[in-house]
Amino acid sequence: MGAVTLRVADLDAMIRYYRDGVTLDLLSHDGPVAVLGRGATPVVILQHAPELKHASPRSAGLFHTAVLFDDQAALAAAVYSVATRYPGTFTGSADHLVSQAFYFDDPEGNGVELYWDRDRTEWSWTHGSVEMDTLFLDPNGFLQEHLTEQGMTTDASGPRLGDAVVGHVHLSVGDIASAREFYVDHLGFETTATFGPQALFVSAGGYHHHMAMNTWKSAGAGRRQLALGLGRVEIVVPGADDVGELGERMAHFGVSARDDGRALEFDDPWDNVVQVRAAG
């Protein structure tokens, strides 16, 4: 997964949240657009759009952007940073068997998951489905076990622990059948888990999930109006040939694409924008 683009009302406040709280680096800030990530890898792109309004909480759009850290110490540092600098934004934590995750809402209500994956050898698969659950995870106990002295001193100008990338993106959608048709049948992801008629998890390459869609708050939602929140989801494929093949595949299914010569953009059934580009 590539960077997630968010349309935001208060650019400076959102930069502070993702930089000082989530512990991402400000990679660039050019006028109304700020890019934050780690190293050379963008994680979130913030686009200043103060003229827009917030969407209804029951509309389709972003459920959360999930930021994957490469070890538990790096995750603990980020969780500690957000919890101390933005204590009112914590919404929960869970052990999902494949991962350990902590959940927050940014200052404009966009969901954020910070997580770490267990080794793939510890994941359990049955008939092509990965075993996931939502078990209790004590945030204080996790920090006591994994927070290091260096992790406690992480700030906007201080050291960062490890790498951070977009591990997966979770969307709110109107119905799961349409989500499966678009993301599995058309786009080509593989289903890795389902939770009744309310949630679908999909991936490529045997990951537990690169994307998920649920109807927990958005059942029956129609197409999105232009609003604050999710601007675009980016998917990165190995090469230009893969982009071309995907374009042909989507055209076969009657899904129109916008092609700028570098990447293809598609609108899902709720007008969530999905961009596919080649790595590098």
Side-chain angles (χ1 to χ4, degrees), residues 213-228:
M213 306 92 205
N214 76 68
T215 60
W216 297 328
K217 296 188 296 184
S218 55
R223 291 185 173 275
R224 298 175 59 204
Q225 303 298 311
L226 186 61
L228 295 170

PDB file of all heavy atoms in Angstrom, residues 213-228:
ATOM      1  N   MET A 213     -13.006  -3.632   4.219  1.00  0.00           N
ATOM      2  CA  MET A 213     -14.204  -2.822   4.037  1.00  0.00           C
ATOM      3  C   MET A 213     -15.241  -3.295   5.040  1.00  0.00           C
ATOM      4  O   MET A 213     -15.403  -4.500   5.249  1.00  0.00           O
ATOM      5  CB  MET A 213     -14.783  -2.982   2.625  1.00  0.00           C
ATOM      6  CG  MET A 213     -13.820  -2.710   1.491  1.00  0.00           C
ATOM      7  SD  MET A 213     -12.986  -4.223   0.950  1.00  0.00           S
ATOM      8  CE  MET A 213     -11.498  -3.474   0.262  1.00  0.00           C
ATOM      9  N   ASN A 214     -15.924  -2.361   5.668  1.00  0.00           N
ATOM     10  CA  ASN A 214     -16.982  -2.749   6.602  1.00  0.00           C
ATOM     11  C   ASN A 214     -18.184  -1.821   6.459  1.00  0.00           C
ATOM     12  O   ASN A 214     -18.076  -0.712   5.927  1.00  0.00           O
ATOM     13  CB  ASN A 214     -16.467  -2.764   8.051  1.00  0.00           C
ATOM     14  CG  ASN A 214     -16.315  -1.380   8.640  1.00  0.00           C
ATOM     15  OD1 ASN A 214     -17.307  -0.682   8.875  1.00  0.00           O
ATOM     16  ND2 ASN A 214     -15.073  -0.958   8.892  1.00  0.00           N
ATOM     17  N   THR A 215     -19.324  -2.313   6.981  1.00  0.00           N
ATOM     18  CA  THR A 215     -20.561  -1.534   6.961  1.00  0.00           C
ATOM     19  C   THR A 215     -21.018  -1.193   8.376  1.00  0.00           C
ATOM     20  O   THR A 215     -22.188  -0.890   8.592  1.00  0.00           O
ATOM     21  CB  THR A 215     -21.687  -2.315   6.248  1.00  0.00           C
ATOM     22  OG1 THR A 215     -21.920  -3.558   6.957  1.00  0.00           O
ATOM     23  CG2 THR A 215     -21.313  -2.637   4.817  1.00  0.00           C
ATOM     24  N   TRP A 216     -20.110  -1.263   9.352  1.00  0.00           N
ATOM     25  CA  TRP A 216     -20.484  -1.119  10.759  1.00  0.00           C
ATOM     26  C   TRP A 216     -21.188   0.207  11.041  1.00  0.00           C
ATOM     27  O   TRP A 216     -22.099   0.262  11.847  1.00  0.00           O
ATOM     28  CB  TRP A 216     -19.241  -1.279  11.646  1.00  0.00           C
ATOM     29  CG  TRP A 216     -18.630  -2.644  11.543  1.00  0.00           C
ATOM     30  CD1 TRP A 216     -19.288  -3.825  11.323  1.00  0.00           C
ATOM     31  CD2 TRP A 216     -17.236  -2.979  11.623  1.00  0.00           C
ATOM     32  NE1 TRP A 216     -18.400  -4.873  11.277  1.00  0.00           N
ATOM     33  CE2 TRP A 216     -17.131  -4.395  11.461  1.00  0.00           C
ATOM     34  CE3 TRP A 216     -16.075  -2.236  11.826  1.00  0.00           C
ATOM     35  CZ2 TRP A 216     -15.899  -5.059  11.491  1.00  0.00           C
ATOM     36  CZ3 TRP A 216     -14.861  -2.901  11.853  1.00  0.00           C
ATOM     37  CH2 TRP A 216     -14.777  -4.299  11.690  1.00  0.00           C
ATOM     38  N   LYS A 217     -20.750   1.275  10.394  1.00  0.00           N
ATOM     39  CA  LYS A 217     -21.412   2.570  10.582  1.00  0.00           C
ATOM     40  C   LYS A 217     -22.051   3.090   9.303  1.00  0.00           C
ATOM     41  O   LYS A 217     -22.741   4.118   9.341  1.00  0.00           O
ATOM     42  CB  LYS A 217     -20.393   3.615  11.090  1.00  0.00           C
ATOM     43  CG  LYS A 217     -19.798   3.331  12.439  1.00  0.00           C
ATOM     44  CD  LYS A 217     -18.961   4.493  12.941  1.00  0.00           C
ATOM     45  CE  LYS A 217     -17.752   4.755  12.054  1.00  0.00           C
ATOM     46  NZ  LYS A 217     -16.880   5.825  12.598  1.00  0.00           N
ATOM     47  N   SER A 218     -21.814   2.411   8.180  1.00  0.00           N
ATOM     48  CA  SER A 218     -22.149   3.002   6.885  1.00  0.00           C
ATOM     49  C   SER A 218     -23.063   2.134   6.028  1.00  0.00           C
ATOM     50  O   SER A 218     -23.139   2.344   4.808  1.00  0.00           O
ATOM     51  CB  SER A 218     -20.856   3.273   6.112  1.00  0.00           C
ATOM     52  OG  SER A 218     -20.079   2.080   6.000  1.00  0.00           O
ATOM     53  N   ALA A 219     -23.747   1.161   6.615  1.00  0.00           N
ATOM     54  CA  ALA A 219     -24.617   0.284   5.828  1.00  0.00           C
ATOM     55  C   ALA A 219     -25.607   1.097   5.005  1.00  0.00           C
ATOM     56  O   ALA A 219     -26.266   2.002   5.508  1.00  0.00           O
ATOM     57  CB  ALA A 219     -25.359  -0.673   6.753  1.00  0.00           C
ATOM     58  N   GLY A 220     -25.680   0.783   3.719  1.00  0.00           N
ATOM     59  CA  GLY A 220     -26.603   1.477   2.827  1.00  0.00           C
ATOM     60  C   GLY A 220     -26.093   2.789   2.287  1.00  0.00           C
ATOM     61  O   GLY A 220     -26.805   3.457   1.518  1.00  0.00           O
ATOM     62  N   ALA A 221     -24.869   3.173   2.632  1.00  0.00           N
ATOM     63  CA  ALA A 221     -24.324   4.459   2.164  1.00  0.00           C
ATOM     64  C   ALA A 221     -24.218   4.467   0.647  1.00  0.00           C
ATOM     65  O   ALA A 221     -23.863   3.467   0.021  1.00  0.00           O
ATOM     66  CB  ALA A 221     -22.957   4.721   2.790  1.00  0.00           C
ATOM     67  N   GLY A 222     -24.509   5.621   0.069  1.00  0.00           N
ATOM     68  CA  GLY A 222     -24.380   5.794  -1.369  1.00  0.00           C
ATOM     69  C   GLY A 222     -23.058   6.456  -1.719  1.00  0.00           C
ATOM     70  O   GLY A 222     -22.112   6.456  -0.929  1.00  0.00           O
ATOM     71  N   ARG A 223     -22.998   7.026  -2.901  1.00  0.00           N
ATOM     72  CA  ARG A 223     -21.768   7.661  -3.362  1.00  0.00           C
ATOM     73  C   ARG A 223     -21.426   8.869  -2.494  1.00  0.00           C
ATOM     74  O   ARG A 223     -22.307   9.605  -2.055  1.00  0.00           O
ATOM     75  CB  ARG A 223     -21.900   8.079  -4.835  1.00  0.00           C
ATOM     76  CG  ARG A 223     -21.956   6.879  -5.770  1.00  0.00           C
ATOM     77  CD  ARG A 223     -21.953   7.302  -7.225  1.00  0.00           C
ATOM     78  NE  ARG A 223     -21.853   6.161  -8.110  1.00  0.00           N
ATOM     79  CZ  ARG A 223     -20.724   5.571  -8.477  1.00  0.00           C
ATOM     80  NH1 ARG A 223     -19.565   6.041  -8.041  1.00  0.00           N
ATOM     81  NH2 ARG A 223     -20.734   4.531  -9.284  1.00  0.00           N
ATOM     82  N   ARG A 224     -20.138   9.060  -2.276  1.00  0.00           N
ATOM     83  CA  ARG A 224     -19.670  10.144  -1.426  1.00  0.00           C
ATOM     84  C   ARG A 224     -19.800  11.493  -2.129  1.00  0.00           C
ATOM     85  O   ARG A 224     -19.630  11.596  -3.346  1.00  0.00           O
ATOM     86  CB  ARG A 224     -18.201   9.930  -1.053  1.00  0.00           C
ATOM     87  CG  ARG A 224     -17.924   8.674  -0.264  1.00  0.00           C
ATOM     88  CD  ARG A 224     -16.424   8.487  -0.058  1.00  0.00           C
ATOM     89  NE  ARG A 224     -15.846   9.618   0.655  1.00  0.00           N
ATOM     90  CZ  ARG A 224     -14.564   9.963   0.592  1.00  0.00           C
ATOM     91  NH1 ARG A 224     -13.733   9.293  -0.182  1.00  0.00           N
ATOM     92  NH2 ARG A 224     -14.114  10.980   1.284  1.00  0.00           N
ATOM     93  N   GLN A 225     -20.055  12.506  -1.343  1.00  0.00           N
ATOM     94  CA  GLN A 225     -19.964  13.890  -1.808  1.00  0.00           C
ATOM     95  C   GLN A 225     -18.554  14.397  -1.516  1.00  0.00           C
ATOM     96  O   GLN A 225     -17.859  13.871  -0.649  1.00  0.00           O
ATOM     97  CB  GLN A 225     -21.001  14.757  -1.098  1.00  0.00           C
ATOM     98  CG  GLN A 225     -22.433  14.279  -1.265  1.00  0.00           C
ATOM     99  CD  GLN A 225     -22.883  14.298  -2.717  1.00  0.00           C
ATOM    100  OE1 GLN A 225     -22.715  15.286  -3.419  1.00  0.00           O
ATOM    101  NE2 GLN A 225     -23.454  13.182  -3.169  1.00  0.00           N
ATOM    102  N   LEU A 226     -18.134  15.413  -2.224  1.00  0.00           N
ATOM    103  CA  LEU A 226     -16.821  15.993  -1.965  1.00  0.00           C
ATOM    104  C   LEU A 226     -16.810  16.569  -0.552  1.00  0.00           C
ATOM    105  O   LEU A 226     -17.632  17.420  -0.214  1.00  0.00           O
ATOM    106  CB  LEU A 226     -16.520  17.089  -2.991  1.00  0.00           C
ATOM    107  CG  LEU A 226     -15.110  17.693  -2.936  1.00  0.00           C
ATOM    108  CD1 LEU A 226     -14.052  16.628  -3.189  1.00  0.00           C
ATOM    109  CD2 LEU A 226     -14.976  18.830  -3.943  1.00  0.00           C
ATOM    110  N   ALA A 227     -15.895  16.091   0.281  1.00  0.00           N
ATOM    111  CA  ALA A 227     -15.895  16.474   1.692  1.00  0.00           C
ATOM    112  C   ALA A 227     -14.496  16.286   2.263  1.00  0.00           C
ATOM    113  O   ALA A 227     -13.602  15.735   1.613  1.00  0.00           O
ATOM    114  CB  ALA A 227     -16.895  15.613   2.477  1.00  0.00           C
ATOM    115  N   LEU A 228     -14.320  16.766   3.491  1.00  0.00           N
ATOM    116  CA  LEU A 228     -13.088  16.493   4.214  1.00  0.00           C
ATOM    117  C   LEU A 228     -12.962  14.986   4.451  1.00  0.00           C
ATOM    118  O   LEU A 228     -13.945  14.255   4.451  1.00  0.00           O
ATOM    119  CB  LEU A 228     -13.082  17.229   5.552  1.00  0.00           C
ATOM    120  CG  LEU A 228     -13.075  18.761   5.480  1.00  0.00           C
ATOM    121  CD1 LEU A 228     -13.305  19.358   6.856  1.00  0.00           C
ATOM    122  CD2 LEU A 228     -11.757  19.274   4.883  1.00  0.00           C
TER     123      LEU A 228
END
